Amino acid sequence: MSLRLLLTAAAPLALIAAHPALAAAPAAAPSVPPAATTSADADDGIILVTARHRAETSQAVPISLSVLDAAHIDRTGAFNIDRVQQLTPTLQFYSQNPRNTSLNIRGLGATLGLTNDGIEPGVGVYVDDVYYARPASATFDFLDVERVEVLRGPQGTLYGKNTTAGAINITTRPPSFDFTARGEASVGNEGFYQFKGAVSGPLSDKVAVRLAISSTNRDGNVLNAHTGKEINGQNNIGGRGQILWKPSDSVRITLAADYNRQNPDCCGFVYVRVGETQRAQNRQFNALAQTAGYTPPSTNPFARIADLDTPLRALNEVGGVSLKAVVDTGIGTVTSVTAWRFWHWDPSNDRDYTGLPVTTVSQNPSQQHQVSQELRLTHEGKTLDFTVGLFGFDQVVRTEGSQVQGSAASKWLLAPSASPTNCYNTNCLDGLSSTNSIGLRNDSVALYGQLTWKPTDSFSIQPGVRVNYDYKNGYYSSVVTNAAGAPVQFATAPAVNTSAQLSQLSQLAPENFNAIYSAWNVSYDVTASYAFNRDIHGYASYAHTFKSGGINLNGVPAAANGAPLLQFASIKPENEDHFEVGIKTQWWGRRLTINADAFRTEIHNYQALVNNGQQSALRGYVDSAPFVRVQGAEWDITLRPSPRFNAYFNGAYNDAKYIRFPAAPCPPELSGGTAVAAGQTAAPAGVPGLSPVSCDISGQRLPGISKLALSFGGEANLPVTLLNHAGEIYAGVDGNYRSSFSSNPSPSAYTWVNGYTLTNVRAGFRTEHGFDIYGWVRNAFNVGYYQQLLVGPGSTGLIVGQLGDPRTYGVTARFVL
């Protein structure tokens, strides 16, 4: 029987096991309360979390984590993961578009750049215990969320899917047997409006239902000079429904379904600068633009003007159905989670980043379907706790991509020639098309568990283990045709020398290969924790874990005859050793909370995005960096001197380096030239036209990671009575700072993003009975900043940027019944 069939069959088995006639006597108390598990007490700041699949205070959990409850999410406007990263310095979120999204914790988790279907993320996203496999899921708005937990460090012995960098554990509000309703409406400048609503109540004394919807819209904040339209807006809509059946106090069964859709005019980049490469001067950006009679509409990126001739589209849809059964038995809580999810992606991009018809079509429509099944037993005892689980996952991904070169391609991409029959002069690249067919079947099963032994009331030791099997079967097929639809072969070209010049354009070469990856892996960890007293808890942990190997499904480098170099088809797993110590403390009658940790992570065979700079590849592939080290410290400080005031100051220092990467891709300033002569190991300094085959970037910074990241803020309130309604007026500020970071896999002088500070303010009135209205300003000082800088294709020296949002302002009103 296939894994998919086994997973599908598991749902009815879970229901049978959960039937009240078969359930054991109820435990004294459920591990995870069926009602809300978030409780933020103004006097002690305690928040209940379920990071270890049982309800416990965040201060007592020997895990480095940040917790955002619903109140903090609502008040700070953190309605998606992009906004959450501004409150949790250790989280990094980058999204060129929904498909090409990187979600990292402590700088680890995903390669920065183009997504590769055959590589798994290292940060797990879970919503109500359901694993979301695609990074695109992280771009959607939160829907009726009760709590977001950001868990730092490896979590593979406690969660279904192995997560080497951490996990984002999202808990939504469950159905209730008391009628409740909540709604929220926001309006702002740039055409922003957002609506959220949820209603919950009983259908009978054993069945409750909850329905929630959300919609977010905003005009674009970048002008596309080519069309005169604003781009990079928002157009999101989502809905979620849950039905809870509670046949007895010991059994809870929840059927949930959700659907989310995004369809903005997105995602465009703006001209930032030109940096010299090793290409001949007549093939640098400025000379090419002059030859084509092209002038960028603005060389000031913060004028927020792009010039894109390809229509933009970023249609992104995700959804699914899950069945969760929780049975409290005499030995613990049995949880079964069965889920099916889909992801559909229909894009259109302008990958030459100019108004010229160089690349007129660039798109990789994708469809993904996944089935997962998790069966877990959690036991809590006086001296012994344990969690043991079985997880199965089946994923199918299909991508049908295409790229078409336009009338400006030949003179933009090829070297000039005096021959009238040469491709440069006959414009033979006009209409050249590459059609890619990509497929992946990804199966994995795992047995995992953690044991907590408490020999005393103060001391506990927690070992964990995971046995994991991964199987991936993928294929990549690229067919190249000319404008007439005739196949173009890499090694057998027409007399006009197409092939010789196509050899400089490996991304347009036909390629076809299949690859299989399979492996067993064992992970293990151990954590020791000690409660010095009620308010001071320390812990130390070690983990040996792995990130699954994979398959390069963006194409691989080719040999001189065009044959794919299959040694690059499969990617080795990352091997990781992680060390961490931490302390969680509360002082001054629990009005002051100070938590801190220090960590060190060593990774062998780090999965890094690389490209072949000698062949001007448009699309990178993944290869292994021999040794990477990430180390640093984090802190979370919260002050609540009275119910009238609270403040927080969180930070992360991160020293993340390639310790050994001697054969890395070179930065753009060393790319585009002729490979150095045989026997040379590097291009002579300052000599244009020569490029090293590879560069040694050992000791240099990993991409996307700021050495220092901070978040800070506070809120003050004053009791008042307005219009006969008792409540409080309040004002708050939230800020975040990031120091500079590299935005290219190999650090480049052209792609460092300068540090920046963003400040958000709000002020309003709320009542004791759930009504709240306030005005807000985000990026109050209108700071201009980049989310990412990218290197344009073809080693022309073009650098483009993805801009962060300018100052926005508006008003929000919400109610809770």
Side-chain angles (χ1 to χ4, degrees):
M1 180 180 293
S2 71
L3 177 61
R4 179 178 287 274
L5 292 177
L6 284 171
L7 296 175
T8 306
L13 291 176
L15 284 174
I16 292 173
H19 194 278
L22 300 177
S31 302
V32 181
T37 58
T38 297
S39 169
D41 191 314
D43 293 329
D44 58 22
I46 289 177
I47 299 178
L48 294 181
V49 299
T50 55
R52 295 196 296 180
H53 303 304
R54 52 185 180 265
E56 50 193 340
T57 68
S58 59
Q59 287 299 107
V61 180
I63 297 175
S64 178
L65 80 165
S66 299
V67 187
L68 303 178
D69 65 5
H72 195 46
I73 290 171
D74 290 341
R75 291 172 185 174
T76 57
F79 59 81
N80 57 27
I81 290 180
D82 185 24
R83 296 283 183 90
V84 167
Q85 75 164 336
Q86 297 181 16
L87 302 174
T88 54
T90 194
L91 181 66
Q92 296 96 29
F93 175 86
Y94 301 100
S95 185
Q96 296 181 23
N97 56 44
R99 172 183 169 83
N100 295 310
T101 295
S102 300
L103 185 61
N104 290 339
I105 293 176
R106 295 172 171 167
L108 301 175
T111 54
L112 181 62
L114 297 179
T115 295
N116 190 315
D117 289 340
I119 307 299
E120 295 188 11
V123 173
V125 177
Y126 295 87
V127 179
D128 292 339
D129 281 344
V130 176
Y131 174 66
Y132 283 33
R134 297 302 304 191
S137 302
T139 66
F140 283 97
D141 296 349
F142 293 149
L143 191 59
D144 203 24
V145 165
E146 179 181 84
R147 183 178 66 256
V148 176
E149 302 167 12
V150 180
L151 314 179
R152 307 190 279 264
Q155 307 295 326
T157 65
L158 197 60
Y159 282 78
K161 196 68 176 155
N162 194 40
T163 52
T164 57
I168 298 176
N169 187 31
I170 299 172
T171 302
T172 68
R173 294 183 177 95
S176 65
F177 285 92
D178 296 319
F179 176 80
T180 62
R182 61 178 58 237
E184 177 182 309
S186 300
V187 294
N189 67 323
E190 296 190 343
F192 175 80
Y193 60 92
Q194 183 180 72
F195 302 99
K196 300 179 183 179
V199 62
S200 184
L203 297 181
S204 70
D205 60 348
K206 296 183 183 299
V207 179
V209 65
R210 187 176 191 91
L211 301 174
I213 58 171
S214 174
S215 176
T216 303
N217 286 269
R218 193 204 68 200
D219 296 338
N221 54 32
V222 172
L223 174 67
N224 184 0
H226 194 85
T227 63
K229 295 181 178 180
E230 301 284 345
I231 60 173
N232 295 2
Q234 292 178 298
N235 184 336
N236 307 341
I237 189 169
R240 182 178 181 86
Q242 300 180 73
I243 299 175
L244 169 65
W245 177 38
K246 191 177 179 183
S248 71
D249 290 340
S250 61
V251 178
R252 300 178 298 281
I253 299 173
T254 304
L255 177 66
D258 67 277
Y259 172 77
N260 293 272
R261 182 177 187 269
Q262 296 174 326
N263 192 25
D265 289 329
C266 183
C267 300
F269 291 72
V270 300
Y271 173 102
V272 174
R273 65 175 68 96
V274 171
E276 288 287 314
T277 71
Q278 295 301 307
R279 281 185 128 185
Q281 285 300 312
N282 62 358
R283 300 192 67 202
Q284 303 278 346
F285 179 85
N286 291 333
L288 291 170
Q290 184 177 11
T291 299
Y294 176 73
T295 301
S298 175
T299 56
N300 174 14
F302 295 105
R304 312 187 77 87
I305 299 175
D307 190 20
L308 308 171
D309 60 318
T310 300
L312 298 181
R313 185 173 63 255
L315 177 58
N316 190 31
E317 296 176 297
V318 299
V321 179
S322 66
L323 182 67
K324 181 176 181 179
V326 181
V327 182
D328 298 319
T329 72
I331 60 172
T333 300
V334 177
T335 303
S336 172
V337 184
T338 307
W340 169 83
R341 297 201 60 76
F342 73 88
W343 170 62
H344 294 165
W345 167 241
D346 183 14
S348 177
N349 308 298
D350 192 324
R351 284 298 181 190
D352 60 58
Y353 307 115
T354 71
L356 290 170
V358 178
T359 301
T360 57
V361 175
S362 178
Q363 55 189 11
N364 281 289
S366 297
Q367 294 187 341
Q368 183 239 229
H369 297 265
Q370 68 175 68
V371 179
S372 61
Q373 171 64 47
E374 185 169 9
L375 189 63
R376 186 173 66 237
L377 171 64
T378 301
H379 168 82
E380 295 181 71
K382 182 174 177 58
T383 61
L384 200 67
D385 299 340
F386 66 81
T387 295
V388 61
L390 179 65
F391 179 76
F393 177 74
D394 179 72
Q395 176 190 43
V396 175
V397 184
R398 295 284 186 268
T399 299
E400 300 292 333
S402 59
Q403 178 176 307
V404 179
Q405 305 308 124
S407 58
S410 297
K411 287 184 169 53
W412 193 268
L413 298 175
L414 302 179
S417 173
S419 170
T421 60
N422 187 275
C423 184
Y424 178 88
N425 294 311
T426 61
N427 203 19
C428 75
L429 294 188
D430 188 13
L432 190 75
S433 301
S434 174
T435 303
N436 305 320
S437 182
I438 302 170
L440 175 71
R441 180 67 178 266
N442 177 14
D443 292 333
S444 66
V445 292
L447 177 66
Y448 64 90
Q450 273 191 2
L451 175 71
T452 303
W453 177 44
K454 298 171 283 188
T456 72
D457 291 339
S458 300
F459 177 72
S460 67
I461 188 165
Q462 178 181 285
V465 67
R466 177 188 186 90
V467 180
N468 195 101
Y469 175 73
D470 288 294
Y471 173 83
K472 296 181 174 70
N473 189 336
Y475 66 85
Y476 177 88
S477 176
S478 173
V479 177
V480 179
T481 58
N482 61 22
V488 175
Q489 300 299 323
F490 186 84
T492 58
V496 293
N497 202 26
T498 304
S499 178
Q501 295 190 321
L502 281 179
S503 67
Q504 304 171 41
L505 305 168
S506 61
Q507 76 281 0
L508 298 178
E511 192 168 72
N512 193 308
F513 66 88
N514 290 78
I516 292 177
Y517 169 86
S518 64
W520 286 93
N521 291 94
V522 177
S523 299
Y524 50 88
D525 55 38
V526 61
T527 299
S529 60
Y530 187 79
F532 296 93
N533 57 42
R534 187 185 74 149
D535 293 329
I536 301 179
H537 301 259
Y539 64 92
S541 63
Y542 165 74
H544 176 77
T545 186
F546 74 98
K547 180 181 174 184
S548 172
I551 301 174
N552 260 320
L553 292 179
N554 283 352
V556 297
N561 63 356
L565 298 175
L566 295 182
Q567 65 267 34
F568 296 103
S570 295
I571 306 303
K572 298 176 183 177
E574 293 182 354
N575 293 304
E576 178 177 311
D577 290 290
H578 176 78
F579 309 85
E580 184 164 340
V581 294
I583 190 167
K584 298 185 176 186
T585 69
Q586 291 185 296
W587 309 87
W588 193 20
R590 294 191 169 181
R591 297 180 182 90
L592 175 64
T593 299
I594 303 176
N595 298 336
D597 65 73
F599 61 90
R600 180 183 176 100
T601 305
E602 299 175 349
I603 301 176
H604 294 272
N605 298 322
Y606 173 80
Q607 295 169 358
L609 181 70
V610 302
N611 57 57
N612 188 338
Q614 302 307 318
Q615 295 186 335
S616 308
L618 288 178
R619 187 172 294 116
Y621 60 97
V622 176
D623 201 0
S624 297
F627 187 30
V628 160
R629 186 216 62 211
V630 176
Q631 61 184 9
E634 300 158 330
W635 64 91
D636 298 279
I637 301 174
T638 303
L639 175 66
R640 302 177 184 85
S642 79
R644 305 273 74 85
F645 177 77
N646 66 78
Y648 65 93
F649 177 59
N650 307 327
Y653 171 80
N654 197 333
D655 179 25
K657 292 180 178 179
Y658 298 103
I659 299 300
R660 191 168 68 254
F661 200 0
C666 291
E669 51 264 45
L670 294 178
S671 70
T674 303
V676 295
Q680 288 184 262
T681 58
V687 178
L690 296 179
S691 292
V693 174
S694 63
C695 288
D696 187 349
I697 61 171
S698 302
Q700 298 195 42
R701 186 106 59 95
L702 288 178
I705 307 174
S706 299
K707 276 200 170 182
L708 182 64
L710 306 172
S711 64
F712 48 88
E715 183 180 289
N717 64 72
L718 182 67
V720 297
T721 298
L722 292 179
L723 302 177
N724 296 321
H725 290 282
E728 58 190 25
I729 57 173
Y730 63 91
V733 60
D734 301 283
N736 67 94
Y737 164 78
R738 292 193 65 180
S739 63
S740 62
F741 62 92
S742 168
S743 193
N744 195 63
S746 295
S748 165
Y750 306 145
T751 57
W752 280 95
V753 174
N754 293 332
Y756 56 86
T757 301
L758 304 179
T759 306
N760 310 318
V761 297
R762 63 188 187 278
F765 170 75
R766 55 183 172 240
T767 70
E768 297 176 352
H769 304 291
F771 177 75
D772 188 1
I773 184 169
Y774 62 95
W776 45 266
V777 182
R778 298 191 64 85
N779 191 3
F781 299 107
N782 201 29
V783 174
Y785 67 101
Y786 301 111
Q787 293 182 319
Q788 289 186 80
L789 293 177
L790 298 182
V791 178
S795 298
T796 68
L798 174 63
I799 306 297
V800 296
Q802 181 183 25
L803 298 176
D805 288 341
R807 178 170 50 226
T808 58
Y809 51 86
V811 62
T812 296
R814 69 169 59 94
F815 71 88
V816 179
L817 298 178

